[in-house]
Amino acid sequence: MLIFHLSPLATSLFSLLAIIALVLSFVMLASYWLKNHVYAFAAESWTIAAISASIGYYGHYPELYVIAILTALFRGSLLPYLVLRLVDRLGVQREFTPLLKPSSSMILGAVLVIFSYEVARQLGVALHLTDNIAVLALTCMFSLKLIGFLMMILRSEAISHILGLLVIENGIFLGSQILVPGMPVLMELVIIFDLLIIVMTFGMLVRLLQAHAGTTSSRGLQKLVG
């Protein structure tokens, strides 16, 4: 496992990048504006691409350079572009009916990070992962997944649900890059292309939803069903 052979400088670099990715997920919780969510997701994806490139350099995994370039292009550029285009076409710029205010969402997100840290610490003890970077990687992975779920639960706009799903996938990708960098490259390429298909499919469904139901809010759908 790469984490057992890292120098202090590499450990500090990975820790800094992982924390930046985690902080960017809080930017999404702290704002009503959908474009801010997309920009934060793009920055988070570029940060994960930097993690992949760093692991490729320090761990001598040259194939991870390809993954880093594809992550920056697809997750950090193409997917945000498609979501921004969808936001402009739908004309929905912000969340109007979130369950919680951004401040309350951030507090709840902080609680989830603490919970993730405790789970990661216990898991690290059980798996004999004594390195801090291993616990940090597990914490960031669990935190991003839970924050992604939180976005899908607290927000009502379909765009937020798409971004929540992408944040969940970013969390899994970040953790796998640090803990298991030797994952087959083909598998990671398939995941990237799956994301592209998911975003395009969601985009078509959201546009159909607005055309036929007149709303992109899941709460509007609940009213129609009732």
Side-chain angles (χ1 to χ4, degrees):
M1 203 178 273
L2 174 67
I3 54 176
F4 293 133
H5 310 290
L6 289 177
S7 65
L9 177 62
T11 301
S12 301
L13 177 62
F14 292 150
S15 301
L16 176 63
L17 291 173
I19 290 172
I20 289 174
L22 184 57
V23 169
L24 286 168
S25 66
F26 275 84
V27 174
M28 300 183 206
L29 291 177
S31 176
Y32 285 125
W33 299 98
L34 296 177
K35 285 189 176 180
N36 290 348
H37 299 175
V38 180
Y39 294 143
F41 169 76
E44 184 180 278
S45 299
W46 277 87
T47 304
I48 293 175
I51 291 176
S52 298
S54 302
I55 293 174
Y57 176 77
Y58 286 104
H60 306 292
Y61 293 101
E63 65 272 17
L64 288 185
Y65 293 125
V66 178
I67 294 297
I69 294 171
L70 289 175
T71 300
L73 291 177
F74 279 85
R75 292 172 188 263
S77 302
L78 182 58
L79 293 182
Y81 168 75
L82 292 175
V83 177
L84 282 176
R85 192 175 168 188
L86 187 59
V87 169
D88 288 334
R89 289 196 174 186
L90 294 174
V92 180
Q93 301 297 324
R94 56 166 289 175
E95 280 280 348
F96 289 101
T97 55
L99 281 178
L100 292 177
K101 294 179 179 178
S103 56
S104 302
S105 300
M106 290 182 68
I107 293 172
L108 188 53
V111 172
L112 292 177
V113 171
I114 295 171
F115 172 75
S116 299
Y117 170 74
E118 184 58 28
V119 172
R121 194 178 65 81
Q122 296 292 341
L123 193 59
V125 172
L127 297 177
H128 306 291
L129 299 174
T130 56
D131 298 71
N132 290 331
I133 185 65
V135 176
L136 178 63
L138 286 171
T139 302
C140 290
M141 181 174 71
F142 293 144
S143 297
L144 288 178
K145 291 173 68 175
L146 291 175
I147 288 173
F149 279 121
L150 192 64
M151 286 180 62
M152 296 179 73
I153 293 170
L154 297 181
R155 305 293 168 84
S156 61
E157 287 296 331
I159 300 294
S160 296
H161 294 170
I162 297 174
L163 290 167
L165 187 63
L166 293 177
V167 170
I168 292 172
E169 213 288 324
N170 261 1
I172 297 171
F173 193 68
L174 184 151
S176 67
Q177 290 296 294
I178 295 178
L179 296 173
V180 197
M183 279 180 66
V185 175
L186 182 60
M187 184 183 297
E188 297 188 357
L189 288 174
V190 169
I191 293 173
I192 289 173
F193 283 108
D194 278 350
L195 283 178
L196 181 61
I197 293 172
I198 287 172
V199 170
M200 295 179 70
T201 305
F202 260 89
M204 288 188 287
L205 289 175
V206 171
R207 293 177 66 181
L208 284 173
L209 181 65
Q210 189 188 41
H212 293 282
T215 179
T216 57
S217 170
S218 56
R219 293 195 187 119
L221 281 182
Q222 288 173 2
K223 290 178 183 176
L224 288 176
V225 171

